[in-house]
Amino acid sequence: MLEELRLILAKIDADYADIRYEKMRETTIAFNGKELSRIGSDTTDGYVVRVLKNGGLASVAFTKFADAERAAKRASENASLIFRNIKEPVKFAKTKVVNDIFIPALNEDPRNISIDEKLEQTRNYNNIPLQHKAIIMTNLWYQEVIREKYFLSTEGSKIREDLITTQLGGMITSKDGTLLQNVRASIGGSTGFAKLRNREEVFEQKAKLAVDLLRAKPVRSGVYNVILNPSMAGLFTHEAFGHFSEADLIEDSPTMREKMRIGAQLGNDILSIIDDPTVAGQLGFYKYDDEGVKARPITLLQNGVLAGRLHSRRTAANFNEPLSGHCVAEDYRFAPIIRMGNIFIQPGTKRLNELFAELRDGLYILDSKGGQTSGENFTFGAQYAYSVKNGKQGELVRDINISGNLYKTLKDITAVGDDLMLCESGGCGKGQINIRSSHGGPHLLVKNVVIGGA
Amino acid sequence: MEKLLDIARKVSDQVEIYSNEQTVDSISFEDAKLKDIDSKLQSGTSIRIIKDGRLGFAFTKNLIDEKELVNNALASLKGGVEAKFNLPFANDLPHLNTYDPSIEDLTPTTIVDECNRIARILVAKTDGQVNIHAGRVIAKISLKNSNGLNLSVKSSHYYCSPEIMYPGSYASISRVMNTKKFGQIPGEHLDFILDIYNKSVQEAIPGSDRMKVLFLPETIYVLLWRLQSATSGKSIYEKQSPIADKLGKKLFSSNLTIYNDPLNDQFPGARTFDDEGTPGRYFPIVEDGVLKNFYYDLHYADKLDVQPTGHGFRSAMWGGEAIANKPSPTLAHLYIKPGDKSFSDMIRSIDRGVIVASALGAHSGNIPNGDFSIGLSPGLYVENGEIVGYVKDAMVAGNIYETMKNLVAIEDRLYPAIMGTYPALLFDDVNVTTK
């Protein structure tokens, strides 16, 4: 494969070019209630070529090898067009030439497990919620994605890396009269099929929660002090802070570059945030990004002060900051963009009961249900919450949606727990999906959070 | 495709082959300067085979080995996914004007020149940061099945979406132009975003209350997403619809009519058939506030013993691939009937309220139940009929079965927007929460 790619690159007239070929095998098993709605394994593939010429950078994603020359020509023409229309030429930060093959070690390679066994495992978990009378529907799926990635650049880098993701999860829906409630369950990661075994308690707990939510009180809209559990803390870190650490999102915004300058005091000194794709075993693990840059841990916020950010080769040169290895594509249909790998708040010193005592009155909010950011502002959902009165956990509350402002909220994080949990499923959608976007954190105490209610 | 059909026909009762090809050039301007040009040359094929009432499904990007694709579908068949429906036959469908050949000659240079022109106009009239996304899409879809169905559609699409950003944020005011061929963006689109942005540069804090809320066409999807969930044949079958027993009943204000119309070829993407080959037609979901129809694909129509309605699309949310998805009930051509108020009259009628200009978090929250709870990115605060500032740290929340009963005005024009083509809608008595 690498030889085929080399032939394409050799024909490109450019200052720099790279090409990525990927072969992707997806296995999907899905249940809607008791009915199996999908099963099968499929293989797809494709190429992405990028050309840097005279300071213009352009990319073309193509499916057929026969289109390679057309694609390279178009990328080259578009790069020239960009050059004619920009004031500041695009430059790439220097990176080491890498020649490596990296195949991650797995605890049970899913390729060695029969589809029948995967079907059985999925069916077993799916049956757990369906035993409850009030659960009217499950939409649970098994998804296995095996990506073989080949990267070649005109600088001489040659990399093959595999990314193997296995996940099992989905939605559990309960109903009482016309009231519908749903919760999400999800297990899995980057370490192999073993992570999906013996996890019945996750589906039992979520099924019970879906039933209990039918009798929970809707939250009253208003401004609350809250404790976020690690799942919520992770989503919060990802949405509220992480996206602003992605240099491509602020590169061309003078006002945001000013707010996000290195050294800016953005949070309290108890707050430190790291993105580290290299932590073994977590969902977001990878060795090289899709520009062939080796990933490394980046301290983004150190004791409340902005200390670093996530870069591509282009933005690292533009900001004159070190490379981080965070330029990643969803798959062979996309040019890479800057993505978080595994972002989390560093654990602090407070035990959970101390956070409750400090909160006194408010909400304990658990388990994320998706979020979105406009940079400065963010909104995200939670699956459930408990009211907290006098430092004691009270009744179950539902319909939790939070909104906030990055700059204000970072300063409103007033205590950080001593625990740390990372998520087992990602799914960030910044133009492209990243199923391995990993986040987590300790429990957090956050003041003045807007809750919309319903 | 013919060879694939022949191979698959020998090992099954029914076969369907769906394939697509797409050429895309996307151009982005940031801070009024050209930033990126990304192109895509993509294609793919997917196959469904039905044998003994069971379904086999497989797909590939590069169709090199037909036998391998059929074998993947046969392997999938063993899993036992039920499929009792019959694939349709319909070949003589009306002609729609979906493709303008001039799109083939549209070069990135022409689009970049147009974006430069727009950037110059906007930069001269506003201090806000100007971003523009524009591009062209040429797409071809082909569908064949073992009953002799043989349909294809070629479409052209040019889009241009300028936006003005609020400082320190990605919150913006935008208006998209969606056409079948290249043309200059109408001056009124630029005037609209300039006017709204320039009136709202000061931050406003409306205070928490129930008040009038106006959804711009660009944010109507927040509400209709919930309705689409509730009226889908899939939700009806799975008992996940809170309005399953409300057909013929009045749900919303009587001036509200919501319909699907795949045959309207005024906008890009019109279709005479869905992704399963069922012919499409004008199809009311809500007429004068009354719930008229649920919509189905072949599978869920069969499950519920009703006629398929031509709504089986390989909908690929979050940028997924059409070929990798089985058809499912989808409202791919959704409209709201325009009303009788101009946009400026609607604003003037607001004593105190918020305009939802762009929404955050439409996908979270309890969608099946009709609940929405969105951040404003931004909202615009209106007092005594005038936009007085922008609102950022606020949420608008409700349940569509309450909110959409309180519709007080509908704009007299339609705009292409996310998940459909809509006018602006003004509601009364909606919950707004701020710090």
Side-chain angles (χ1 to χ4, degrees):
Chain A
M1 178 43 61
L2 287 167
E3 183 51 27
E4 234 175 67
L5 300 184
R6 200 188 58 76
L7 289 175
I8 300 174
L9 276 191
K11 290 185 188 161
I12 300 174
D13 165 32
D15 302 322
Y16 168 88
D18 61 33
I19 186 158
R20 233 171 66 235
Y21 171 78
E22 264 191 62
K23 197 164 155 185
M24 179 159 87
R25 184 167 174 82
E26 294 166 88
T27 300
T28 306
I29 299 169
F31 279 93
N32 294 338
K34 282 213 175 309
E35 291 176 24
L36 178 70
S37 62
R38 181 157 176 183
I39 184 165
S41 294
D42 297 280
T43 306
T44 53
D45 63 340
Y47 306 79
V48 181
V49 62
R50 297 195 310 165
V51 169
L52 180 64
K53 190 176 175 182
N54 299 329
L57 173 68
S59 71
V60 177
F62 59 101
T63 305
K64 296 173 184 145
F65 183 72
D67 282 333
E69 259 180 71
R70 197 174 137 213
K73 185 167 170 274
R74 187 179 292 214
S76 205
E77 284 166 5
N78 288 347
S80 300
L81 175 61
I82 291 175
F83 167 69
R84 290 197 299 275
N85 281 275
I86 52 173
K87 288 191 191 100
E88 235 183 290
V90 174
K91 287 190 192 118
F92 270 13
K94 282 209 165 50
T95 188
K96 277 189 189 142
V97 172
V98 177
N99 193 340
D100 195 9
I101 296 174
F102 182 72
I103 314 287
L106 297 171
N107 188 357
E108 290 196 72
D109 188 329
R111 284 168 286 202
N112 300 332
I113 292 164
S114 73
I115 189 122
D116 292 340
E117 189 176 347
K118 291 166 186 167
L119 174 62
E120 227 19 64
Q121 184 68 269
T122 312
R123 195 192 304 273
N124 288 344
Y125 289 144
N126 184 53
N127 281 339
I128 293 170
L130 290 172
Q131 278 157 18
H132 293 262
K133 227 174 139 189
I135 306 269
I136 55 144
M137 188 44 62
T138 54
N139 301 92
L140 291 189
W141 41 257
Y142 169 79
Q143 191 195 27
E144 170 190 315
V145 181
I146 296 173
R147 291 170 62 194
E148 265 175 51
K149 304 196 299 171
Y150 299 84
F151 174 87
L152 203 73
S153 79
T154 51
E155 290 169 342
S157 280
K158 269 188 222 174
I159 302 169
R160 151 97 190 265
E161 178 166 355
D162 287 5
L163 293 176
I164 292 142
T165 317
T166 47
Q167 291 181 318
L168 205 164
M171 190 109 91
I172 299 166
T173 306
S174 60
K175 190 177 184 186
D176 183 17
T178 58
L179 178 68
L180 288 152
Q181 288 294 309
N182 55 57
V183 297
R184 297 175 186 184
S186 190
I187 56 174
S190 64
T191 53
F193 196 81
K195 188 116 193 223
L196 302 179
R197 296 191 193 272
N198 307 313
R199 302 292 299 277
E200 285 77 7
E201 86 286 354
V202 173
F203 296 88
E204 277 157 12
Q205 187 251 331
K206 288 289 180 161
K208 185 175 176 302
L209 175 64
V211 175
D212 290 347
L213 280 171
L214 292 170
R215 285 183 298 278
K217 283 198 178 140
V219 71
R220 285 171 64 103
S221 61
V223 179
Y224 291 81
N225 297 336
V226 306
I227 293 171
L228 302 180
N229 83 335
S231 162
M232 285 302 290
L235 180 69
F236 176 87
T237 311
H238 173 105
E239 293 294 349
F241 176 78
H243 280 300
F244 251 15
S245 293
E246 296 168 339
D248 56 352
L249 277 187
I250 65 167
E251 184 181 7
D252 291 296
S253 168
T255 55
M256 286 194 276
R257 273 181 92 138
E258 171 53 26
K259 287 197 172 189
M260 294 296 284
R261 68 184 191 283
I262 300 290
Q265 177 87 40
L266 295 179
N268 293 323
D269 62 2
I270 49 166
L271 196 62
S272 294
I273 300 176
I274 289 173
D275 190 288
D276 187 0
T278 69
V279 178
Q282 45 83 24
L283 173 69
F285 179 85
Y286 59 86
K287 190 169 178 188
Y288 301 102
D289 75 1
D290 290 323
E291 297 190 299
V293 177
K294 196 171 180 186
R296 63 184 186 91
I298 301 291
T299 299
L300 301 169
L301 198 69
Q302 182 72 54
N303 302 111
V305 175
L306 197 74
R309 72 182 104 240
L310 308 179
H311 280 298
S312 62
R313 294 186 67 182
R314 170 186 188 158
T315 62
N318 182 293
F319 283 75
N320 196 21
E321 289 170 7
L323 279 168
S324 72
H326 283 82
C327 197
V328 168
E330 173 179 344
D331 56 38
Y332 53 78
R333 296 172 298 146
F334 298 93
I337 56 174
I338 300 174
R339 310 297 299 238
M340 290 167 249
N342 171 38
I343 190 167
F344 55 93
I345 294 178
Q346 276 204 314
T349 55
K350 297 281 167 94
R351 300 169 66 118
L352 186 57
N353 60 2
E354 293 174 301
L355 294 178
F356 268 84
E358 243 174 86
L359 173 66
R360 278 188 63 84
D361 296 319
L363 292 170
Y364 176 32
I365 299 178
L366 298 97
D367 291 6
S368 72
K369 206 177 184 178
Q372 198 178 0
T373 179
S374 72
E376 181 178 13
N377 286 86
F378 56 85
T379 295
F380 43 80
Q383 298 182 29
Y384 62 114
Y386 295 99
S387 67
V388 178
K389 281 187 184 126
N390 281 321
K392 296 267 183 314
Q393 183 174 313
E395 62 193 350
L396 186 65
V397 186
R398 62 175 165 86
D399 303 335
I400 310 291
N401 285 282
I402 293 176
S403 176
N405 177 294
L406 164 68
Y407 307 111
K408 291 178 189 161
T409 310
L410 285 176
K411 288 180 177 150
D412 282 333
I413 297 174
T414 56
V416 179
D418 61 358
D419 51 346
L420 176 67
M421 283 264 290
L422 298 175
C423 67
E424 289 184 58
S425 73
C428 171
K430 177 188 170 186
Q432 311 171 16
I433 295 286
N434 179 6
I435 59 168
R436 285 167 70 112
S437 179
S438 175
H439 48 69
H443 278 84
L444 296 179
L445 180 61
V446 191
K447 299 248 164 94
N448 299 316
V449 172
V450 176
I451 298 195
Chain B
M1 246 171 120
E2 210 53 56
K3 186 177 168 198
L4 181 61
L5 195 63
D6 284 343
I7 295 171
R9 207 198 300 256
K10 286 180 190 141
V11 291
S12 60
D13 303 331
Q14 300 185 73
V15 188
E16 174 198 75
I17 318 272
Y18 170 95
S19 65
N20 64 11
E21 280 171 48
Q22 227 181 22
T23 305
V24 184
D25 293 302
S26 16
I27 283 143
S28 60
F29 271 57
E30 291 196 9
D31 200 16
K33 291 187 293 287
L34 177 60
K35 170 88 186 264
D36 276 317
I37 305 178
D38 279 325
S39 299
K40 292 187 197 302
L41 309 166
Q42 297 286 314
S43 55
T45 299
S46 85
I47 181 169
R48 289 199 292 175
I49 58 174
I50 298 175
K51 194 176 184 196
D52 302 329
R54 288 182 303 160
L55 179 78
F57 175 71
F59 60 89
T60 185
K61 292 288 288 180
N62 273 306
L63 184 60
I64 293 161
D65 185 344
E66 284 87 356
K67 276 195 184 132
E68 190 191 333
L69 187 62
V70 173
N71 285 339
N72 281 344
L74 284 172
S76 149
L77 188 83
K78 282 191 201 137
V81 173
E82 193 188 293
K84 298 250 165 78
F85 54 86
N86 288 315
L87 295 172
F89 173 76
N91 278 346
D92 294 321
L93 297 175
H95 175 77
L96 294 180
N97 182 7
T98 57
Y99 174 73
D100 189 308
S102 69
I103 200 86
E104 304 284 348
D105 303 323
L106 176 59
T107 62
T109 307
T110 306
I111 302 175
V112 167
D113 289 347
E114 163 70 354
C115 292
N116 273 323
R117 185 188 72 86
I118 295 168
R120 277 195 301 274
I121 295 173
L122 294 178
V123 166
K125 294 181 180 171
T126 183
D127 296 332
Q129 183 186 326
V130 172
N131 286 8
I132 308 169
H133 300 280
R136 64 154 194 177
V137 183
I138 305 167
K140 190 179 173 195
I141 292 168
S142 307
L143 189 68
K144 283 189 182 190
N145 72 28
S146 50
N147 290 340
L149 179 127
N150 184 359
L151 295 168
S152 66
V153 59
K154 197 167 181 187
S155 61
S156 58
H157 179 194
Y158 168 76
Y159 66 93
C160 179
S161 175
E163 54 184 348
I164 307 177
M165 330 275 293
Y166 290 84
S169 153
Y170 263 79
S172 69
I173 302 291
S174 69
R175 180 134 276 179
V176 65
M177 163 187 177
N178 264 330
T179 47
K180 288 176 288 184
K181 62 175 183 182
F182 174 77
Q184 284 194 347
I185 197 165
E188 59 179 352
H189 280 23
L190 303 182
D191 292 343
F192 172 83
I193 59 174
L194 281 167
D195 183 52
I196 298 272
Y197 179 85
N198 288 342
K199 279 180 178 157
S200 63
V201 283
Q202 298 296 324
E203 188 178 347
I205 298 171
S208 299
D209 207 347
R210 299 189 76 89
M211 60 182 84
K212 285 205 172 95
V213 170
L214 186 147
F215 285 81
L216 289 186
E218 288 78 5
T219 58
I220 296 291
Y221 76 98
V222 173
L223 306 170
L224 291 208
W225 194 335
R226 276 80 189 147
L227 186 67
Q228 291 189 50
S229 163
T231 53
S232 160
K234 181 174 189 287
S235 305
I236 302 299
Y237 177 68
E238 294 179 348
K239 299 187 170 32
Q240 299 209 56
S241 171
I243 53 170
D245 57 353
K246 296 279 196 296
L247 273 183
K249 303 262 166 60
K250 192 151 179 277
L251 281 187
F252 305 129
S253 298
S254 27
N255 45 357
L256 189 60
T257 293
I258 302 166
Y259 61 95
N260 197 67
D261 188 6
L263 302 178
N264 181 355
D265 60 6
Q266 190 193 340
F267 297 103
R271 293 279 293 269
T272 53
F273 58 95
D274 68 2
D275 288 346
E276 304 182 287
T278 307
R281 59 190 157 94
Y282 173 86
F283 190 84
I285 302 294
V286 171
E287 213 166 59
D288 302 328
V290 174
L291 180 63
K292 298 302 278 189
N293 278 302
F294 301 129
Y295 60 98
Y296 302 93
D297 62 356
L298 293 174
H299 175 69
Y300 287 102
D302 172 73
K303 281 289 194 186
L304 290 158
D305 202 16
V306 297
Q307 286 299 310
T309 57
H311 295 95
F313 284 89
R314 296 166 195 260
S315 49
M317 279 183 77
W318 315 113
E321 279 244 35
I323 52 150
N325 285 285
K326 286 196 309 178
S328 63
T330 307
L331 293 172
H333 303 86
L334 201 56
Y335 294 83
I336 291 177
K337 195 175 151 189
D340 57 2
K341 290 274 187 301
S342 71
F343 184 72
S344 49
D345 281 349
M346 289 172 87
I347 303 285
R348 269 195 291 277
S349 74
I350 301 172
D351 46 351
R352 177 167 175 255
V354 164
I355 299 172
V356 183
S358 175
L360 283 180
H363 62 296
S364 39
N366 191 343
I367 291 173
N369 204 49
D371 298 343
F372 63 92
S373 192
I374 48 166
L376 301 179
S377 173
L380 307 164
Y381 184 48
V382 180
E383 238 175 21
N384 302 321
E386 297 278 348
I387 294 170
V388 295
Y390 82 104
V391 183
K392 49 183 192 179
D393 299 325
M395 294 191 86
V396 166
N399 179 288
I400 62 160
Y401 304 108
E402 298 295 324
T403 305
M404 285 168 55
K405 281 194 179 97
N406 301 327
L407 179 61
V408 291
I410 304 177
E411 190 184 2
D412 57 7
R413 283 190 59 174
L414 292 179
Y415 296 92
I418 303 167
M419 289 186 199
T421 306
Y422 310 124
L425 299 179
L426 177 62
F427 300 94
D428 201 358
D429 196 29
V430 184
N431 185 18
V432 177
T433 308
T434 59
K435 269 194 186 177

